[in-house]
């Protein structure tokens, strides 16, 4: 028999290293001799889109388009340390460092422009389209190239450093503020359980993810899709088969991951609640998008067949056994 | 040593091979077509997917000598001088690529599908790429991209250079 059920899972997740551990990101931005913007950042791109969104943030501060920025990434001989691409921290931490570095560069360029144009102050001076100009009298302007020339041999280079604020938990009580910021997410899934085979199919799924501010909505959607598939694999397929420290399921024939046929089209709801300490309000979502998937699926299975599963992955054998045991218990308790 | 003749991306090659090498090795190591990836090396992941005489095969499971006289398309054969293949363009536009490791295989599986069926529904698309594992994208944007590519190709035809 096929039985359907729905389930919800919700999490809040503290991004960054946390627990008072020094979590530092650095970035450098340069106005090259040709007047081009070069961004140096050590953040690692693993497909999550760090290079894209970090460049977007720099472009926003400097009033240029993304194409106008040359990104130098992941080269330890010239890029400053931006910490690991882990803990869902690059958007928030390195984003902040980049924003600071670019704000510093912008301020330096404005200083040079104020002097060059003989202005009274920096009030009303804007940086846009590769030039610095006076908003109330746009003819008063200097291009990035001219600023670079004025600067001479030594290029204009500024740094941005961001250190996240977290505190160590009290070892006795476990109390404290170990993380900042947190992101929140909810998954809702509908499953169909085949009570004869023990197979679970996800028939519908929806994810609502708090992102602070969506710097690049398409990348966020991709992250959610990927997180869902990974969470789904975690919940019903993936089993390392650890025996005495040895991984028995060390190939795709026995370590199963979801295929395109296992993943449903996912309804994605991006929730924007800007975080004040974040760059443009944006927070990381890499891990948050997968955590609530397994609980939502387990709850949906409970809703469908009335059994509480406490061990994952929920392989067909495990599920059939649980359904059978549950039936037996109920029989003994005289409930059916 | 043995000599085989094959056509890859429209170019005729005659290659000296060791008898026990796989087609994947010839493509990557001898022809230097490194766009074809090796994931599992045992026919399970699809990263090494290529098109051989019109059908997709896992090139890690094909012995090089079996490619004698065959016509092969790898990811390097998809773009033309005038630009990306519509499938590649759709992948980029839809944000269907994350780490990228599965993508050459995905693109070729998509091509094999669309060459036969230019109006697949989403289930048929999923079926067609079900032999290509992806750890990053959750597949949905890939399905979106193939769907979009089918529309491009319906309008523009397959602009493949071969
Ligand atoms: S490398 Fe050929 S199928 Fe995985
Ligand atoms: S994009 Fe990373 S495996 Fe598919």
């Amino acid at each position: 028999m096929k039985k359907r059920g729905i389930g919800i899972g919700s999490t809040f997740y503290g991004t960054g290293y946390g627990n008072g551990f020094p979590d530092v990101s650095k970035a450098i931005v340069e106005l090259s001799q040709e007047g081009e913007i070069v961004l140096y950042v050590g953040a690692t791109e693993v497909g999550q889109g760090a290079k894209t969104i970090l460049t977007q943030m720099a472009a926003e501060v400097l009033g240029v388009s993304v194409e106008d920025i040359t990104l130098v990434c992941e080269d330890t001989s010239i890029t400053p340390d931006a910490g690991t691409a882990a803990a869902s921290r690059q958007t928030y931490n390195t984003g902040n460092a980049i924003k600071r570095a670019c704000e510093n560069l912008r301020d330096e360029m404005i200083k040079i422009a104020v002097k060059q144009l003989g202005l009274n102050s920096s009030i009303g001076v804007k940086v846009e389209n590769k030039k610095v100009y006076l908003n109330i009298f746009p003819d008063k302007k200097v291009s990035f190239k001219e600023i670079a020339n004025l600067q001479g041999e030594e290029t204009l280079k500024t740094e941005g450093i961001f250190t996240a604020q977290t505190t160590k938990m009290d070892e006795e009580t476990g109390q404290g503020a170990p993380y900042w910021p947190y992101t929140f997410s909810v998954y809702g899934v509908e499953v169909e359980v085949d009570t004869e085979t023990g197979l679970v199919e996800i028939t519908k799924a929806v994810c609502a993810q708090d992102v602070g501010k969506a710097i690049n909505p398409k990348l966020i959607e991709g992250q959610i899709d990927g997180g869902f598939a990974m969470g789904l694999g975690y919940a019903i397929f993936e089993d390392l088969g650890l025996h005495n420290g040895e991984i028995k399921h060390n190939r795709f024939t026995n370590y199963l991951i979801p295929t395109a046929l296992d993943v449903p089209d996912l309804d994605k709801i991006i929730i924007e609640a800007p975080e004040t300490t974040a760059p443009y309000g944006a927070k990381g979502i890499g891990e948050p998008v997968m955590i609530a998937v397994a609980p939502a699926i387990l709850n949906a299975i409970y809703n469908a067949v009335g059994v509480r599963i406490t061990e994952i992955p929920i392989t067909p054998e495990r599920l059939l056994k649980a359904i059978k045991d549950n039936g037996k218990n109920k029989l003994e308790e005289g409930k059916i | 040593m043995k000599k085989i003749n094959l056509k890859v991306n429209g170019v005729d090659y005659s290659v000296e091979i060791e008898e026990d090498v796989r087609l994947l090795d010839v493509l990557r190591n001898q022809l230097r077509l490194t766009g074809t990836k090796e994931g599992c090396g045992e026919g399970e992941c699809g990263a090494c997917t290529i098109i051989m005489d019109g059908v997709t095969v896992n090139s890690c499971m094909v012995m090089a000598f079996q490619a004698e006289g065959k016509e092969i398309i790898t990811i390097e054969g998809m773009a033309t001088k005038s630009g990306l293949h519509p499938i590649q363009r759709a992948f980029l536009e839809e944000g269907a690529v994350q780490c990228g490791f599965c993508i050459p295989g995905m693109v070729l599986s998509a091509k094999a599908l669309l060459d036969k069926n230019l109006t697949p529904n989403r289930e048929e698309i999923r079926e067609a790429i079900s032999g290509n594992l992806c750890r990053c994208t959750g597949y949905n944007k890939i399905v979106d991209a193939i769907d979009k590519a089918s529309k491009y190709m319906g309008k523009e035809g397959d602009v493949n250079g071969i």
Side-chain angles (χ1 to χ4, degrees):
Chain A
M1 204 196 320
K2 289 197 174 174
K3 290 194 160 183
R4 287 202 171 193
I6 57 164
I8 289 172
S10 177
T11 53
F12 67 107
Y13 181 82
T15 61
Y17 299 148
N19 206 20
F21 192 81
D23 189 341
V24 185
S25 271
K26 290 184 190 166
I28 293 171
V29 63
E30 178 185 34
L31 181 69
S32 76
Q33 281 183 333
E34 291 74 42
E36 303 292 330
I37 303 292
V38 188
L39 182 63
Y40 299 86
V41 57
T44 304
E45 174 63 60
V46 291
Q48 82 279 42
K51 282 180 172 172
T52 306
I53 62 123
L54 296 176
T55 311
Q56 278 182 268
M57 288 187 197
E60 188 73 22
V61 179
L62 295 168
V64 296
S65 70
V66 167
E67 294 75 28
D68 289 328
I69 294 182
T70 304
L71 177 69
V72 180
C73 214
E74 305 143 328
D75 181 342
T76 51
S77 69
I78 43 172
T79 57
D81 189 3
T84 54
S88 308
R89 60 179 287 290
Q90 289 296 359
T91 301
Y92 176 78
N93 297 58
T94 306
N96 264 320
I98 282 174
K99 187 160 174 276
R100 286 180 179 187
C102 293
E103 284 166 353
N104 291 340
L105 182 72
R106 187 188 60 194
D107 293 348
E108 288 301 317
M109 289 196 292
I110 289 176
K111 254 190 234 162
I112 294 171
V114 165
K115 197 166 157 217
Q116 179 68 10
L117 297 169
L119 302 177
N120 293 330
S121 77
S122 61
I123 296 298
V125 176
K126 285 193 95 179
V127 177
E128 209 174 47
N129 296 330
K130 296 196 188 176
K131 52 183 188 284
V132 184
Y133 65 95
L134 185 57
N135 206 22
I136 54 167
F137 186 18
D139 281 353
K140 284 269 178 206
K141 59 171 193 268
V142 225
S143 69
F144 281 12
K145 175 88 178 87
E146 286 166 301
I147 294 175
N149 288 344
L150 289 167
Q151 183 66 18
E153 291 267 294
E154 184 92 351
T155 57
L156 200 55
K157 242 186 194 180
T158 53
E159 190 181 36
I161 303 175
F162 180 78
T163 304
Q165 186 71 277
T166 64
T167 63
K168 202 164 163 42
M169 283 188 294
D170 184 297
E171 274 170 26
E172 298 291 307
T173 64
Q175 298 297 301
Y179 287 99
W180 195 261
Y182 288 91
T183 70
F184 303 82
S185 70
V186 182
Y187 270 100
V189 300
E190 181 190 70
V191 300
E192 189 172 86
V193 180
D194 187 324
T195 55
E196 261 128 61
T197 62
L199 289 173
V200 177
E201 192 192 332
I202 315 293
T203 44
K204 260 187 214 158
V206 52
C207 172
Q209 178 66 49
D210 154 42
V211 303
K213 171 82 190 163
I215 301 292
N216 191 312
K218 212 156 215 170
L219 286 176
I220 288 175
E221 286 178 8
Q223 291 273 78
I224 295 175
D225 279 326
F228 180 78
M230 218 179 260
L232 163 65
Y234 178 62
I236 58 183
F237 295 123
E238 299 175 32
D239 180 4
L240 282 176
L242 266 189
H243 291 286
N244 298 324
E246 197 188 327
I247 293 172
K248 295 284 183 199
H249 297 168
N250 58 357
R251 33 183 29 104
F252 288 126
T253 41
N254 47 24
Y255 186 86
L256 304 179
I257 73 169
T259 72
L261 289 169
D262 301 311
V263 182
D265 280 317
L266 187 62
D267 206 354
K268 295 164 282 258
I269 303 166
I270 296 175
I271 312 257
E272 292 191 313
E275 155 60 33
T276 45
T277 63
Y280 300 106
K283 301 184 287 188
I285 58 149
E287 291 150 300
V289 291
M290 80 160 280
I291 301 169
V293 180
I297 292 174
L298 296 193
N299 284 338
I301 291 175
Y302 177 68
N303 186 240
V305 292
V307 292
R308 270 277 163 227
I309 306 284
T310 51
E311 199 185 345
I312 53 170
I314 320 147
T315 55
E317 303 78 54
R318 273 190 195 148
L319 183 53
L320 285 180
K321 183 170 181 302
I323 292 172
K324 208 165 129 211
D325 291 352
N326 187 48
K328 247 193 245 155
N329 291 344
K330 283 203 177 142
L331 207 61
E332 278 158 21
E333 286 165 21
K335 280 190 192 154
I336 44 173
Chain B
M1 289 296 254
K2 186 178 161 68
K3 191 174 221 149
I4 55 162
N5 298 299
L6 70 173
K7 191 180 227 174
V8 183
N9 303 328
V11 181
D12 286 314
Y13 290 94
S14 179
V15 210
E16 290 276 334
I17 57 156
E18 301 284 345
E19 306 255 342
D20 59 350
V21 298
R22 306 165 300 171
L23 178 55
L24 173 67
D25 305 315
V26 171
L27 292 172
R28 286 183 56 87
N29 304 338
Q30 289 180 258
L31 304 185
R32 294 279 164 201
L33 296 170
T34 52
T36 304
K37 303 298 176 204
E38 175 162 16
C40 62
E42 49 191 26
E44 291 291 333
C45 75
C48 64
T49 303
I50 56 156
I51 298 177
M52 187 158 89
D53 283 354
V55 292
T56 53
V57 293
N58 288 326
S59 62
C60 72
M61 300 300 284
V62 178
M63 296 308 289
F65 64 80
Q66 294 175 289
E68 167 66 40
K70 303 279 190 202
E71 209 169 319
I72 285 162
I73 302 173
T74 70
I75 190 70
E76 289 88 349
M78 292 295 286
T80 60
K81 279 205 186 71
S82 55
L84 292 178
H85 188 280
I87 297 173
Q88 293 171 305
R89 208 182 335 136
F91 268 66
L92 281 181
E93 286 168 2
E94 289 303 306
V97 182
Q98 290 192 25
C99 82
F101 203 82
C102 69
I103 300 298
M106 287 285 183
V107 168
L108 289 161
S109 288
K111 177 171 163 53
L113 166 72
L114 297 178
D115 282 347
K116 282 189 202 78
N117 176 5
L118 207 46
T119 53
N121 61 33
R122 290 179 80 82
E123 253 338 275
E124 289 168 326
I125 295 173
R126 289 184 183 281
E127 180 80 47
I129 56 166
S130 62
N132 296 82
L133 295 179
C134 175
R135 178 85 287 195
C136 307
T137 64
Y139 305 102
N140 288 335
K141 295 229 175 279
I142 294 179
V143 177
D144 293 345
I146 298 173
D147 185 41
K148 189 173 199 182
S150 73
K151 285 167 192 136
Y152 282 159
M153 285 166 70
K155 272 197 216 114
E156 305 163 18
D158 189 341
V159 295
N160 196 289
I162 299 152

